[in-house]
Amino acid sequence: MTQIVHLHEALDGQRLWDDVQSLAAIGALEPKGIRRLALDDEDNRARLWLAEQGRSLGCQVYFDALGNLFLRREGQDASLAPLLIGSHMDSQPQAGAHDGALGVLAGLAVLRTLQEQGIEHRRPLEVVAWTNEEGARFAPGASGSSWYVGQREYEDIVSALDGEGVRFGDALQACLTLLKDTGLEYRPAPFVPHAFLELHIEQGPVLEQLGKPVGVVSGIQGVNWYRIQVEGVANHAGTTPLQARRDAFDGAHELVSALKEATREQDDDDLRFTIGKFSLWPDAVNTIAQQATFTIDMRHPRQAVLDDLDAQFHELARNQWSGCDVTLEVTSRVAPVAFPETLLAVLRESADSVCKEAPELVSGAFHDAIHLAHVCPTAMFFTPCRAGISHHPDEHIERQDADIAVRALAHAAETLLITRNNAHDSDH
Amino acid sequence: MTQIVHLHEALDGQRLWDDVQSLAAIGALEPKGIRRLALDDEDNRARLWLAEQGRSLGCQVYFDALGNLFLRREGQDASLAPLLIGSHMDSQPQAGAHDGALGVLAGLAVLRTLQEQGIEHRRPLEVVAWTNEEGARFAPGASGSSWYVGQREYEDIVSALDGEGVRFGDALQACLTLLKDTGLEYRPAPFVPHAFLELHIEQGPVLEQLGKPVGVVSGIQGVNWYRIQVEGVANHAGTTPLQARRDAFDGAHELVSALKEATREQDDDDLRFTIGKFSLWPDAVNTIAQQATFTIDMRHPRQAVLDDLDAQFHELARNQWSGCDVTLEVTSRVAPVAFPETLLAVLRESADSVCKEAPELVSGAFHDAIHLAHVCPTAMFFTPCRAGISHHPDEHIERQDADIAVRALAHAAETLLITRNNAHDSDH
């Protein structure tokens, strides 16, 4: 016991930082940033690097049918379900070094400290790197974690094509062959973890603005995605009087005003409403647009708010706008996730042990944790990134923030690793 | 004299219609429409076809350095500047058979009637087909006519590249070689015509709505083109609170509302305001736009109105919108053209002779006439096209409308061909 409570203090912050730099060298871009697209050569090299870290620590290293990679340290009681800690190592095309990677390496830091300090614990620990969280090469993302928990079908996942027509399944097969040839062990069946913990950069500005190195994530916002098409009549910009037009741009402009008005009426700071794609057809300076197409990304922590606005959006889309008809299509719906209170209590205590008044926040981004939450108690820590920037080579974190955040994670891991049975236990 | 006044009555409408069908077969698309991109094989075949019509009528056929093609019939007084009638034969990629072509063939119909009826006239007549009016393959358009009147430099024109990297100058050289090999005469120096007449489809809905087969065009609207860029900060759609955003889409949306409000305050039916291009960068569903770029095409017959709104647009662009800076660039300014009253009087009389209460309208589209107006009295006739549709295979005209419109043109040609000296005469 004496040993276990020291885990978060014994953790070597310099080693974690060195690991961050080592992993960032795989797929490094000039002058900065990284690119490790899911299942590409760099992403696979990252797997081999992580596997080597695990083997050199004397851990068991497994991979599964989706190329998810696991490093396992046995506990005293092999009958207990393991605590799972991790995130992902794939990236956006032009990315920073910490999105996902930090969470995997934080798990590795916990594992290494336990191993090198010879700390015993009841429950097994596994560190995981999930396949294709980003969805940048093969859409949608979170392939590894969503398959793992049974949320998505293997056949659907492997049939995705990348921009060059390469099939997910073929890229995956090459990866699995590589892992097998390296002598790693294949483990076909997912297990149900005791709990899943993920440390991730916030990808938003809140912690930085509060000046806090770590925050407890109490849940993940729900998201509705829409694709809206406004259908007008193409015509000559010079010859068509305004009253004779059915201008799809004008229609879209009016509709957007109405949609925004509906969101403003909610008067809710937690609401996120983004039009990130907008295009016209035929897209010519002197031709009235025949078609305007745009997307909405709408997020909120509460399903009721999403449902209310969803109904209003559908209602607005039934009207004509500038004489144009509208088609509104829901392209994705992900329900909000609230992490369980009992696990959050553990994380709050851990965060408070390393950071005075660590804040609590809701994740605006998706993470692998959203899927794990379906099968086991799940929660996350956030650590700030400068100006909230991610998915960009300018992504930046401060070493001292990461050092504090990983200690919060280690503290929570201690608590969970020594617990035989508790409210979250799936194996009593 | 007796012969001359009969020209518009003697004109054979069936032959004009047959010519329309013959020319439409060159570059015909399945199931309908045509495609004759400037200086491509089909456009060159159209030149050869027209040259052959001229030669078979015993006319002189010339081409110049831009591939403009001229069919000349001598008048009794070779010292007089010729009346010039024509338009263009090139088209948009998916076009109808009448945009441009009708004006050239109407000129040919006048020429043929004079020739076949043996009608004598004082002043020479030339029918012209201008090169690259559309600007669809090589931008900008009106190459032939703008060069002819000295508005644009030869070197600038020939350096344009098409979408496949072919230089205008190289395509032009191939065309000129073909014309030369066919035995046509090269005429290097432009002459100043007595007047220029152009019959064109309206490309707008006005004549059709009025039920009139022909209208007198009193001028061409002035046009200002703008390119507006709104600069925000890209960020994650889920993690960035609304008040922390500088969303380029939001900025563009607000700015567009203000621009539209300024145009509405003019309360002027002649104003045309079109946003035909709009794009976001990076253009991803879940990323706040860093950049929004859009265009404005604004037209009005009076320069003062364009100038007033231009000043307001610049003023609005100096503000921030949703925290975003704005860059407004004027990419093109074409001043309104008012055709000369004395020539319009001739056209009004001609139109009235074939159509009761022929309306007068301002062209919202550019035409070669806008350039010719710089050097000689110029005016146009419009004939309706169904629903104002052009630049599309659905472009359609009624044979009886074309028949009446060409007689108005012939009537005006009669008047101008017998005139020795008048207010518009550039060679007295």
Side-chain angles (χ1 to χ4, degrees):
Chain A
M1 280 298 289
T2 315
Q3 289 168 304
I4 292 174
V5 295
H6 287 148
L7 164 61
H8 72 278
E9 288 162 5
L11 190 143
D12 182 346
Q14 179 63 46
R15 291 286 293 278
L16 169 62
W17 199 248
D18 291 346
D19 282 348
V20 169
Q21 310 316 316
S22 299
L23 184 52
I26 302 175
L29 299 175
E30 280 303 328
K32 64 178 176 177
I34 67 148
R35 174 188 177 93
R36 288 194 299 265
L37 297 177
L39 299 171
D40 75 359
D41 288 348
E42 306 296 343
D43 188 41
N44 289 340
R45 281 180 57 208
R47 277 187 185 75
L48 296 183
W49 178 89
L50 181 65
E52 185 49 39
Q53 306 308 306
R55 286 211 280 211
S56 71
L57 287 170
C59 294
Q60 293 159 277
V61 182
Y62 303 99
F63 64 97
D64 67 16
L66 261 283
N68 298 317
L69 194 69
F70 298 85
L71 279 49
R72 179 181 175 99
R73 181 166 200 261
E74 287 302 339
Q76 293 162 325
D77 185 346
S79 74
L80 294 177
L83 171 67
L84 190 61
I85 301 179
S87 191
H88 63 93
M89 298 193 297
D90 67 311
S91 84
Q92 293 284 325
Q94 303 266 331
H98 315 99
D99 179 348
L102 183 69
V104 175
L105 298 177
L108 178 63
V110 168
L111 187 75
R112 179 190 289 125
T113 309
L114 293 170
Q115 189 79 355
E116 292 185 349
Q117 302 288 322
I119 300 173
E120 295 291 318
H121 44 91
R122 257 189 236 283
R123 185 176 292 287
L125 170 67
E126 296 206 8
V127 173
V128 62
W130 302 110
T131 294
N132 187 35
E133 193 272 346
E134 294 289 358
R137 180 180 175 195
F138 297 105
S143 309
S145 53
S146 62
W147 168 80
Y148 191 84
V149 302
Q151 287 281 303
R152 289 185 58 223
E153 295 295 331
Y154 178 85
E155 284 308 329
D156 291 343
I157 293 170
V158 296
S159 64
L161 301 178
D162 72 7
E164 287 166 2
V166 177
R167 209 171 148 268
F168 186 111
D170 292 334
L172 176 61
Q173 208 46 59
C175 169
L176 299 186
T177 302
L178 182 70
L179 296 177
K180 196 174 164 218
D181 291 350
T182 314
L184 302 180
E185 192 170 335
Y186 178 66
R187 184 169 65 180
F191 62 88
V192 176
H194 172 62
F196 176 64
L197 297 183
E198 182 170 6
L199 168 64
H200 204 282
I201 58 169
E202 182 197 337
Q203 304 178 272
V206 177
L207 289 177
E208 186 184 44
Q209 281 167 12
L210 296 172
K212 298 291 184 182
V214 64
V216 173
V217 183
S218 60
I220 299 183
Q221 293 179 346
V223 182
N224 286 9
W225 277 7
Y226 301 90
R227 183 173 178 277
I228 291 144
Q229 198 160 306
V230 179
E231 195 73 28
V233 176
N235 233 320
H236 195 293
T239 60
T240 316
L242 296 186
Q243 62 275 18
R245 298 181 177 208
R246 289 168 55 197
D247 181 330
F249 176 82
D250 284 349
H253 182 78
E254 281 185 23
L255 174 56
V256 166
S257 295
L259 293 164
K260 281 175 167 286
E261 184 54 31
T263 64
R264 264 192 298 271
E265 280 168 6
Q266 293 284 330
D267 193 23
D268 186 334
D269 277 352
D270 287 337
L271 186 69
R272 308 275 183 270
F273 176 88
T274 307
I275 294 177
K277 286 171 81 88
F278 190 108
S279 63
L280 297 179
W281 187 86
D283 200 40
V285 184
N286 56 350
T287 304
I288 296 163
Q290 177 159 329
Q291 218 168 61
T293 309
F294 62 96
T295 59
I296 295 173
D297 174 306
M298 175 169 71
R299 309 192 188 206
H300 197 277
R302 287 192 295 124
Q303 189 65 48
V305 174
L306 293 173
D307 288 348
D308 177 18
L309 282 167
D310 182 76
Q312 290 189 56
F313 289 1
H314 278 89
E315 186 61 37
L316 290 170
R318 275 188 278 275
N319 299 337
Q320 279 205 332
W321 298 89
S322 292
C324 302
D325 290 321
V326 174
T327 316
L328 179 144
E329 183 190 350
V330 182
T331 53
S332 175
R333 276 190 214 272
V334 180
V337 168
F339 295 140
E341 265 306 313
T342 38
L343 184 58
L344 288 176
V346 173
L347 268 66
R348 277 182 205 120
E349 194 190 321
S350 300
D352 286 340
S353 74
V354 295
C355 166
K356 211 172 139 186
E357 294 177 355
E360 200 155 317
L361 60 173
V362 174
S363 176
F366 293 149
H367 296 287
D368 291 304
I370 207 170
H371 295 289
L372 272 293
H374 287 284
V375 296
C376 69
T378 295
M380 298 182 70
F381 289 109
F382 274 168
T383 192
C385 54
R386 191 173 59 197
I389 294 168
S390 66
H391 294 187
H392 194 284
D394 284 342
E395 177 201 289
H396 175 82
I397 67 171
E398 298 297 333
R399 181 179 159 179
Q400 60 267 35
D401 291 340
D403 195 75
I404 293 170
V406 72
R407 282 172 213 283
L409 179 75
H411 189 283
E414 279 176 67
T415 308
L416 296 166
L417 285 171
I418 61 171
T419 308
R420 186 177 193 98
N421 286 315
N422 64 23
H424 325 296
D425 216 329
S426 52
D427 54 350
H428 53 240
Chain B
M1 279 297 291
T2 315
Q3 289 169 302
I4 291 174
V5 294
H6 288 148
L7 164 59
H8 72 279
E9 289 162 7
L11 191 142
D12 184 346
Q14 180 64 46
R15 292 285 292 279
L16 170 62
W17 199 248
D18 290 346
D19 282 347
V20 168
Q21 311 316 318
S22 300
L23 185 51
I26 302 176
L29 299 175
E30 282 302 327
K32 63 177 175 177
I34 68 146
R35 174 187 175 96
R36 287 193 300 265
L37 296 177
L39 299 171
D40 75 358
D41 289 348
E42 306 296 343
D43 188 42
N44 290 339
R45 281 179 58 207
R47 277 185 186 77
L48 296 183
W49 178 87
L50 181 64
E52 185 50 38
Q53 306 308 306
R55 286 211 283 211
S56 71
L57 286 170
C59 294
Q60 293 158 276
V61 182
Y62 304 98
F63 64 97
D64 67 16
L66 261 283
N68 298 318
L69 194 69
F70 299 85
L71 278 47
R72 179 181 174 100
R73 183 168 199 258
E74 286 303 338
Q76 293 160 326
D77 185 345
S79 74
L80 293 176
L83 170 68
L84 191 60
I85 300 178
S87 191
H88 62 95
M89 298 193 297
D90 67 309
S91 82
Q92 293 284 324
Q94 301 268 330
H98 315 99
D99 179 348
L102 183 68
V104 175
L105 299 177
L108 178 64
V110 169
L111 187 76
R112 178 188 291 125
T113 310
L114 293 169
Q115 190 79 354
E116 293 184 352
Q117 303 289 322
I119 300 172
E120 294 292 317
H121 44 91
R122 257 189 236 284
R123 186 176 292 287
L125 170 67
E126 297 206 8
V127 174
V128 62
W130 303 109
T131 294
N132 187 35
E133 193 273 346
E134 293 289 358
R137 179 181 177 195
F138 297 106
S143 309
S145 53
S146 62
W147 168 80
Y148 190 84
V149 302
Q151 288 279 305
R152 288 185 58 222
E153 295 295 332
Y154 178 83
E155 286 306 329
D156 291 345
I157 294 170
V158 296
S159 63
L161 301 179
D162 72 6
E164 286 166 1
V166 177
R167 209 169 149 268
F168 187 111
D170 293 335
L172 175 60
Q173 209 45 59
C175 170
L176 299 185
T177 301
L178 182 71
L179 297 177
K180 196 172 164 222
D181 291 351
T182 314
L184 302 181
E185 192 171 336
Y186 178 65
R187 185 171 63 180
F191 63 88
V192 175
H194 172 62
F196 176 64
L197 297 182
E198 183 170 5
L199 167 64
H200 205 281
I201 57 170
E202 181 197 338
Q203 304 180 268
V206 177
L207 290 175
E208 185 184 44
Q209 281 167 11
L210 296 171
K212 299 291 183 179
V214 65
V216 173
V217 183
S218 60
I220 299 184
Q221 293 180 347
V223 182
N224 287 9
W225 278 7
Y226 301 90
R227 183 174 177 276
I228 291 145
Q229 197 160 307
V230 179
E231 194 75 30
V233 176
N235 234 320
H236 194 294
T239 60
T240 315
L242 295 187
Q243 63 275 18
R245 298 182 178 207
R246 289 168 55 199
D247 181 330
F249 176 81
D250 283 348
H253 183 76
E254 282 186 22
L255 174 58
V256 166
S257 295
L259 293 164
K260 281 175 166 286
E261 184 54 32
T263 64
R264 263 193 297 271
E265 279 168 7
Q266 292 285 330
D267 193 23
D268 185 335
D269 277 353
D270 287 336
L271 187 68
R272 308 276 183 270
F273 176 89
T274 307
I275 294 178
K277 285 171 80 87
F278 190 108
S279 62
L280 297 178
W281 187 89
D283 201 40
V285 185
N286 56 350
T287 303
I288 295 163
Q290 176 159 328
Q291 218 167 61
T293 307
F294 62 96
T295 59
I296 295 173
D297 175 305
M298 175 169 70
R299 310 194 188 205
H300 197 276
R302 287 192 296 123
Q303 189 64 49
V305 174
L306 294 174
D307 289 347
D308 178 19
L309 282 167
D310 182 76
Q312 290 189 57
F313 289 2
H314 278 90
E315 186 61 39
L316 289 170
R318 276 189 278 275
N319 299 337
Q320 280 205 331
W321 298 88
S322 293
C324 303
D325 290 321
V326 173
T327 315
L328 178 144
E329 183 191 350
V330 182
T331 54
S332 174
R333 276 190 214 273
V334 180
V337 168
F339 295 139
E341 265 306 314
T342 39
L343 185 58
L344 288 176
V346 174
L347 268 66
R348 278 180 204 120
E349 195 192 319
S350 301
D352 285 341
S353 75
V354 295
C355 165
K356 209 172 142 189
E357 294 178 355
E360 200 156 318
L361 60 172
V362 174
S363 175
F366 293 149
H367 296 288
D368 291 305
I370 205 169
H371 294 289
L372 272 294
H374 287 285
V375 296
C376 70
T378 295
M380 299 182 68
F381 289 108
F382 275 169
T383 193
C385 54
R386 190 174 58 196
I389 293 168
S390 66
H391 295 188
H392 194 283
D394 284 341
E395 179 202 288
H396 175 82
I397 67 173
E398 297 297 333
R399 180 179 160 178
Q400 59 268 34
D401 291 339
D403 195 74
I404 293 169
V406 73
R407 284 174 210 283
L409 178 75
H411 190 283
E414 281 177 63
T415 309
L416 296 166
L417 284 171
I418 60 171
T419 309
R420 187 176 193 99
N421 288 314
N422 65 22
H424 327 297
D425 216 328
S426 52
D427 56 350
H428 51 240

